[in-house]
Amino acid sequence: MCGIVGYIGYRDAWPIIIKGLHRLEYRGYDSAGVALINGTFNIYKKAGKVSDLEKFAEGKNLSGHIGMGHTRWATHGVPSDINSHPHTSGDGRLAIIHNGIIENYSSLKETLLSRGHVFKSDTDTEVLIHLIEDIQDQTNLDLREAVRIALNEVIGAYAIVIMSKDDPDQLIAARKGSPLVLGVGEKEYFIASDASPIVEYTKNVIYLNDNEIAYIKRDELLIKSIDNVVQIPYVHELELKLEMLEKGGYDHFMLKEIYEQPRSIRDCMRGRIYPQEGKVQLGGIKEYAEKLKNVDRIIIVACGTSWHAGLVGEYLIEECARIPVEVEYASEFRYRNPIISEKDIVIAISQSGETADTMAAIQLAKEKGATIFGICNVVGASIPRLSNAGVYTHAGPEIGVASTKAFTAQVTVLTLMALYMAQQRGTIKQSELIRLLTELDNIPLLVERCLAYNDRIKEIAEKFKDSRNFLFLGRGSGFPVALEGALKLKEISYIHAEGYPAAEMKHGPIALIDEEMPVVVIATKNASYEKVISNIQEVKARKGIVIAIVTEGDREVVQMADYTIEIPDADDIFLPLLATIPLQLLSYHIAVMRGCNVDQPRNLAKSVTVE
Ligand code: AGP
C-alpha cells in the first residue's frame, strides 16, 4: 500500500504535497518522491522516509502550483532511489505515481522492450508510463485517450496520477482496486489516497470509483469511465476530524488493520489463484517447482505471531501436500546445531523481514545447504534478500505492534503454498482443488462476516476486562489459533494468557480452572468437534467460564458455554483465517477498556532486530 498526493490550483504545491505525504506515511515509508512543474519538470525522489526527501529537496527549485507526491510500500523492486516514484516516460515528457500492483507488467514490459523502450527501474509502475508513451508514439493520440487505452490493457490494481510537461495545467487520475479521493476547492483540486491530506483545505470530496478516470484542471473537472462514458460525480462533505484520518477513521491502527483483513487477504491472493482452473500460481517459488515435487522435509522458522502462522502452515502442508513439516522457534533453532541438508527447504516467516533470530536461523540453514523460502510483508527487507525464493504477503504496512493482518496474510500465503505443493505433487484431485480455491476466493467475504460480530465481542470483553488470567484451547488447526489468541491478549492488555491443545488440559492445566478463569475454546464444527465438547464439559464441571468460538448455527455448544461468538462455516483448512478474527477483536476491546496503549504496548517493538 502506498500514499499518493496531488495538487493543482493557485497555491504553492510543494508544502501541500509534502505535508500530505507525512499524513500518509503510515501507508508506506520505504521511499518517497515529488514531481512539480513550473516551466520544467522538477522531480525529487529517494529511498527513506518523507523527512529524508524533505532534507534532500532543501535549496532546490520547489516552485509550481501543480504537482504530485508518493510515499512507497514496495511491491515490485526493492526500496531504492531509482525504484521510488514518480517514474517518467523514456522521453521524459510524462510522470506517474502509482499505488497498486500491475499483474501483467512483465508481458507488457517484454513488448515495450521489443519496441526499444529502456527501463531504469524494476517497478511495474514504470512499465505503465512507458505503455502510455508508446501508445502516443504509435497513434499520435492525446494524453487523455492514451491513458484510457493503456488502462484498458492493464490487469491488476492501481491508483495513479499522471502529469505531462507538455500539458502543465492538467492532472490525470484513475483508480481500480486502490483508493483515490478528490478534494474540491475554489479553483483548486486535491488528490490523495485518503482524505487526511485534503481535509484541512476542503471538506468537499469525491471518492473516485473503480474504472473511473478524472481529468483535472484548475477550474474544470471531468470524470469518465474507462470506456469513455462521462460520469456525474457526487460531492461528499467530510465529517471526520483530521486527527482520526491518519487511522482511516479508526481509534487505533490495530483496529484499522483488523478491519483491513478482507482487503489484505484479497491482495495476498490477487493474481495467484484461478479457481475455475483449479490452479495456484506462485511466481516467487516457481523455479523450485521440481524440488517441491521431491522434497521430503520442510522446516519453518519464525518468532512470535509468525511462529503461530508456521504452526498453521505445518497443518496445511502436511494435510494437503503430505510433506513432513517441522516448526522451530528461530531463536532455538539457531543455537541448537540442527541437522540440515541440501535436501531440506526452510521457510522463514517474518512480517518485518528484519527479525534478528529469524535472520540468523536462515543464515545457518543456508550455510548447511538448505533452500530458503521467505514469507515476508516488506519488499526488499533483509530476510527476502537472504532467501533463495519466496512469496510476499502484500498486506500493506502494519503499524500496530500487535500483528493482525500480517498474520492472516501469512496464513493465506501458507494456504496457497500448501495447495501449490499439493498441485505439484498431485496429492489433491483437480476437482478438490477447484472446490478449495473457490472457497478460498470467498474467504474475504467470510472475514467481513466475522467482523460483523464486533459489538457482541465488545459486550463479552466488558465482562472479562478485569480478569487476571485466561486460557485459550483448540485442537488441530485450532491449536495455533488458541496460541495466537493468547499472545494477542497478553501483549496488548498485559493479562496473563496461555494457549493449549484442548486435550492437554487433563495433563496439568485443568488444576487452574475455577470460577475466576475464563477459558476461550475454538469449538467450530470440524473433525475434533465432539472431543472439544468433552473438554468444554470438563471445564464446566470445575466451574470454569467458557467463551466458545462456534460455527454459525451451532446448537450444541451454545447450550453449555457461558458465551459464544459465531464465525461462518468453512473447510477445516480455512478455519485459522476465520477463528482468529474474533480473538483479535476480543483482545483489542479488553486492552482499550483497560486503558492500555494498544498500538505501542509497553516493552514491545514492531520489529525485534536485536537478539
Ligand atoms: C506479534 O503480535 C508480535 N508483535 C511479535 O510476536 C512478532 O510476531 C514477532 O516479533 C515476529 O516479528 P516478524 O514477523 O516481523 O519477524
Side-chain angles (χ1 to χ4, degrees):
M1 193 163 61
C2 306
I4 278 180
V5 183
Y7 175 75
I8 182 168
Y10 57 88
R11 304 178 212 233
D12 284 342
W14 168 261
I16 294 170
I17 290 168
I18 205 70
K19 195 173 177 184
L21 290 180
H22 276 297
R23 293 205 194 293
L24 292 177
E25 205 158 14
Y26 74 87
R27 299 175 62 87
Y29 37 78
D30 58 41
S31 57
V34 172
L36 300 162
I37 291 185
N38 187 16
T40 60
F41 242 153
N42 295 309
I43 294 179
Y44 310 110
K45 63 180 198 170
K46 70 189 305 334
K49 292 188 173 301
V50 174
S51 49
D52 299 322
L53 173 67
E54 264 182 305
K55 282 196 205 78
F56 174 69
E58 270 169 19
K60 293 186 171 65
N61 178 356
L62 300 176
S63 62
H65 303 303
I66 174 173
M68 60 186 183
H70 181 275
T71 180
R72 185 169 182 240
W73 180 263
T75 55
H76 292 75
V78 296
S80 65
D81 293 357
I82 201 68
N83 284 338
S84 46
H85 300 210
H87 288 285
T88 54
S89 53
D91 59 10
R93 253 179 340 105
L94 307 174
I96 187 172
I97 55 176
H98 168 223
N99 172 28
I101 297 176
I102 296 175
E103 291 158 22
N104 60 332
Y105 85 100
S106 44
S107 57
L108 293 171
K109 187 167 186 174
E110 273 166 41
T111 308
L112 293 164
L113 284 167
S114 68
R115 288 192 185 143
H117 285 258
V118 176
F119 292 90
K120 304 186 199 79
S121 79
D122 311 325
T123 65
D124 53 344
T125 306
E126 191 184 10
V127 171
L128 180 52
I129 199 66
H130 276 252
L131 175 62
I132 294 165
E133 174 191 18
D134 191 64
I135 290 168
Q136 282 197 294
D137 291 348
Q138 306 285 329
T139 62
N140 219 15
L141 285 169
D142 71 9
L143 181 59
R144 292 187 172 194
E145 194 53 10
V147 169
R148 191 182 69 78
I149 290 171
L151 294 180
N152 273 292
E153 292 187 34
V154 162
I155 298 170
Y158 55 79
I160 56 172
V161 183
I162 291 168
M163 293 168 70
S164 167
K165 198 161 54 172
D166 302 342
D167 188 351
D169 292 317
Q170 173 174 246
L171 293 174
I172 297 179
R175 68 153 287 178
K176 180 182 170 190
S178 296
L180 262 189
V181 185
L182 302 186
V184 184
E186 286 299 315
K187 295 200 178 304
E188 60 180 359
Y189 285 95
F190 306 79
I191 304 167
S193 299
D194 69 31
S196 51
I198 295 171
V199 67
E200 64 188 275
Y201 305 104
T202 175
K203 298 273 190 193
N204 299 321
V205 296
I206 296 167
Y207 294 97
L208 214 53
N209 296 310
D210 275 356
N211 296 316
E212 284 185 347
I213 306 172
Y215 307 102
I216 309 163
K217 292 186 175 281
R218 278 175 182 72
D219 49 7
E220 178 203 305
L221 169 65
L222 173 62
I223 297 179
K224 285 188 167 184
S225 66
I226 200 167
D227 42 25
N228 221 11
V229 176
V230 175
Q231 307 294 306
I232 309 300
Y234 176 73
V235 181
H236 300 255
E237 186 171 348
L238 277 176
E239 284 142 27
L240 282 171
K241 294 188 296 299
L242 180 59
E243 60 279 5
M244 299 296 286
L245 283 171
E246 275 120 13
K247 301 185 181 90
Y250 291 93
D251 292 339
H252 299 97
F253 279 114
M254 182 180 175
L255 188 61
K256 178 172 170 287
E257 287 150 12
I258 289 172
Y259 274 84
E260 278 183 343
Q261 289 177 110
R263 181 210 42 83
S264 50
I265 291 171
R266 172 65 62 206
D267 283 353
C268 183
M269 295 193 286
R270 195 186 299 281
R272 292 169 168 168
I273 63 169
Y274 301 85
Q276 281 73 21
E277 301 158 50
K279 191 171 80 166
V280 180
Q281 204 164 304
L282 292 175
I285 58 172
K286 71 179 177 192
E287 64 178 292
Y288 291 90
E290 270 316 298
K291 185 171 181 75
L292 286 170
K293 280 194 179 124
N294 311 305
V295 70
D296 52 18
R297 181 172 73 150
I298 289 177
I299 297 164
I300 297 176
V301 294
C303 302
T305 284
S306 299
W307 183 78
H308 296 151
L311 287 178
V312 177
E314 174 183 22
Y315 169 81
L316 294 169
I317 295 170
E318 292 195 347
E319 177 68 21
C320 299
R322 310 308 295 156
I323 303 171
V325 177
E326 294 165 25
V327 184
E328 300 267 3
Y329 279 116
S331 54
E332 289 299 308
F333 181 81
R334 64 178 290 195
Y335 294 116
R336 217 196 51 232
N337 189 17
I339 300 161
I340 303 284
S341 81
E342 66 288 341
K343 289 196 302 178
D344 294 320
I345 288 179
V346 172
I347 299 177
I349 305 173
S350 176
Q351 189 285 129
S352 62
E354 301 298 343
T355 299
D357 284 323
T358 309
M359 271 168 58
I362 56 177
Q363 270 155 344
L364 173 67
K366 210 167 178 178
E367 284 157 18
K368 291 174 178 280
T371 300
I372 314 295
F373 287 176
I375 297 178
C376 186
N377 194 36
V378 181
V379 174
S382 305
I383 286 174
R385 285 205 302 271
L386 266 173
S387 303
N388 301 99
V391 182
Y392 282 116
T393 49
H394 292 319
E398 186 175 69
I399 312 299
V401 166
S403 189
T404 50
K405 65 174 182 174
F407 173 73
T408 49
Q410 289 165 349
V411 171
T412 302
V413 166
L414 287 159
T415 305
L416 295 176
M417 274 188 170
L419 294 174
Y420 180 77
M421 293 173 189
Q423 184 181 268
Q424 299 305 323
R425 298 165 75 100
T427 49
I428 292 186
K429 290 198 309 290
Q430 193 60 9
S431 56
E432 180 64 357
L433 264 175
I434 290 171
R435 180 186 74 80
L436 289 170
L437 289 173
T438 304
E439 188 166 337
L440 177 58
D441 198 31
N442 193 43
I443 286 293
L445 292 178
L446 299 189
V447 171
E448 294 279 9
R449 279 173 42 192
C450 294
L451 294 167
Y453 290 103
N454 179 57
D455 293 346
R456 165 73 177 146
I457 295 165
K458 197 169 177 180
E459 285 166 15
I460 296 171
E462 181 61 44
K463 299 186 187 307
F464 296 100
K465 66 185 189 309
D466 300 320
S467 298
R468 297 169 57 78
N469 295 286
F470 263 79
L471 264 181
F472 288 75
L473 306 179
R475 284 177 181 254
S477 63
F479 166 49
V481 173
L483 291 175
E484 176 57 13
L487 176 61
K488 283 289 101 36
L489 183 67
K490 64 184 134 183
E491 68 173 328
I492 61 173
S493 70
Y494 316 141
I495 294 174
H496 174 253
E498 276 187 80
Y500 247 88
E504 274 298 296
M505 283 290 295
K506 301 183 284 300
H507 304 282
I510 202 159
L512 293 170
I513 303 297
D514 61 21
E515 57 278 6
E516 300 296 315
M517 172 72 85
V519 182
V520 178
V521 186
I522 315 297
T524 49
K525 285 270 169 57
N526 62 16
S528 48
Y529 180 68
E530 296 308 327
K531 295 278 186 291
V532 171
I533 283 185
S534 319
N535 298 138
I536 291 173
Q537 286 161 337
E538 288 157 13
V539 172
K540 290 306 297 167
R542 289 153 183 88
K543 300 192 180 60
I545 308 154
V546 172
I547 303 166
I549 309 295
V550 298
T551 304
E552 281 171 347
D554 181 288
R555 288 282 162 268
E556 284 187 77
V557 175
V558 290
Q559 302 299 327
M560 50 185 83
D562 300 274
Y563 302 90
T564 53
I565 302 167
E566 293 189 314
I567 63 171
D569 195 7
D571 190 280
D572 263 12
I573 69 169
F574 304 130
L575 166 78
L577 287 172
L578 302 179
T580 304
I581 307 297
L583 304 189
Q584 293 170 344
L585 287 169
L586 181 67
S587 305
Y588 170 79
H589 289 304
I590 288 176
V592 169
M593 291 168 186
R594 292 168 64 91
C596 297
N597 181 341
V598 171
D599 283 333
Q600 277 132 17
R602 68 187 183 197
N603 312 337
L604 289 176
K606 185 58 189 168
S607 175
V608 183
T609 54
V610 293
E611 299 175 0

